[in-house]
Amino acid sequence: EVQLVESGGSVVRPGGSLRLSCAVSGFTLGDYGMSWVRQAPGKGLEWVSGINWNGAATGYGDSVKGRFTISRDNAKNSLSLEMNSLTAEDTALYYCARERGSSSGYYIDYWGQGTLVTVSS
Amino acid sequence: QSVLTQPPSVSGAPGQRVTISCTGSGSNIGAGYDVHWYQHVPGTAPKLVIFDTINRPSGVPDRFSGSASGTSASLAITGLQSEDEAEYFCQSFDSSLSAWMIFGGGTKLTVL
């Protein structure tokens, strides 16, 4: 059974940092690209960052570029998101997600249940 | 503002058919990029219900179907059941943006 379990969410002050982790099981992490997607309270889904199967290619949404860093450790079945210079606009439920490639881009075939990040003073 | 526009809410009685629209532009759906749909019940992990515009993952009932025309895509659910009540999001790719994925704002489906 494919499982993605996020951790690391908490309350952090504006300007602070946080590291999210995602532990995966039920599949070989190195066979898939992975993404982080977030949902702010009352808002829709927003793609945050993605990483290809071996970490050689990464991408970031415009709202987090330069502040967030995605990484992976295939041997430890783990995905991470390092978040710096956090603002209230980063408050959201953060989902770890497994990517699949389609003929024209990517989609997500499995999601975790999310970890909550709250940026507040 | 989401690049893909969805109606905030739709509703239907059990057994009825509902459709949820996802309107984009010439740089995403109109350019032929596939559309994917997710079902999300708050507190649970989102679930893929349609991929590559028209395909259903294994285990998704054939009551769910997807289509696209021009700059819009649609998710149709027939034989509506109470367990279909959820929020539905469309997702695609936009060639004018750096994001690997773009999402619609979501549509809340209420089963009356």
Side-chain angles (χ1 to χ4, degrees):
Chain A
E1 180 190 5
V2 172
Q3 288 194 319
L4 301 91
V5 180
E6 303 93 339
S7 61
S10 71
V11 179
V12 60
R13 294 192 184 280
S17 299
L18 205 58
R19 184 181 181 90
L20 305 184
S21 296
C22 174
V24 310
S25 60
F27 67 99
T28 301
L29 182 60
D31 288 344
Y32 294 89
M34 299 292 292
S35 275
W36 289 94
V37 177
R38 69 185 181 184
Q39 185 173 28
K43 300 289 183 63
L45 297 172
E46 178 189 11
W47 178 81
V48 173
S49 180
I51 187 168
N52 78 326
W53 68 276
N54 65 357
T58 58
Y60 299 91
D62 288 342
S63 61
V64 307
K65 204 170 291 184
R67 300 187 299 122
F68 289 14
T69 303
I70 191 171
S71 61
R72 64 190 296 155
D73 186 333
N74 290 341
K76 294 184 177 179
N77 293 313
S78 178
L79 177 74
S80 296
L81 185 69
E82 186 75 35
M83 306 186 296
N84 298 313
S85 303
L86 288 163
T87 73
E89 285 66 46
D90 297 314
T91 294
L93 189 60
Y94 285 73
Y95 294 100
C96 170
R98 191 177 85 169
E99 294 173 6
R100 297 300 298 273
S102 77
S103 59
S104 58
Y106 302 98
Y107 62 93
I108 295 167
D109 65 348
Y110 285 97
W111 303 66
Q113 295 209 353
T115 187
L116 183 62
V117 173
T118 302
V119 184
S120 174
S121 55
Chain B
Q1 297 287 50
S2 301
V3 178
L4 302 177
T5 301
Q6 298 181 236
S9 63
V10 298
S11 63
Q16 285 189 331
R17 178 181 188 269
V18 297
T19 61
I20 299 172
S21 62
C22 175
T23 302
S25 66
S27 58
N28 43 68
I29 299 174
Y33 293 108
D34 283 315
V35 180
H36 320 286
W37 291 89
Y38 305 93
Q39 177 191 64
H40 186 210
V41 176
T44 70
K47 175 186 175 184
L48 177 71
V49 293
I50 294 289
F51 68 98
D52 290 352
T53 305
I54 61 171
N55 296 309
R56 276 189 319 276
S58 172
V60 174
D62 59 7
R63 301 185 295 103
F64 290 80
S65 63
S67 64
S69 178
T71 58
S72 294
S74 292
L75 172 70
I77 308 172
T78 59
L80 208 55
Q81 299 181 6
S82 57
E83 61 257 37
D84 299 332
E85 186 162 295
E87 190 162 29
Y88 291 83
F89 292 91
C90 60
Q91 176 247 311
S92 186
F93 174 79
D94 192 297
S95 60
S96 69
L97 302 173
S98 59
W100 292 6
M101 304 177 197
I102 55 168
F103 290 91
T107 298
K108 169 64 176 172
L109 168 62
T110 300
V111 180
L112 301 170

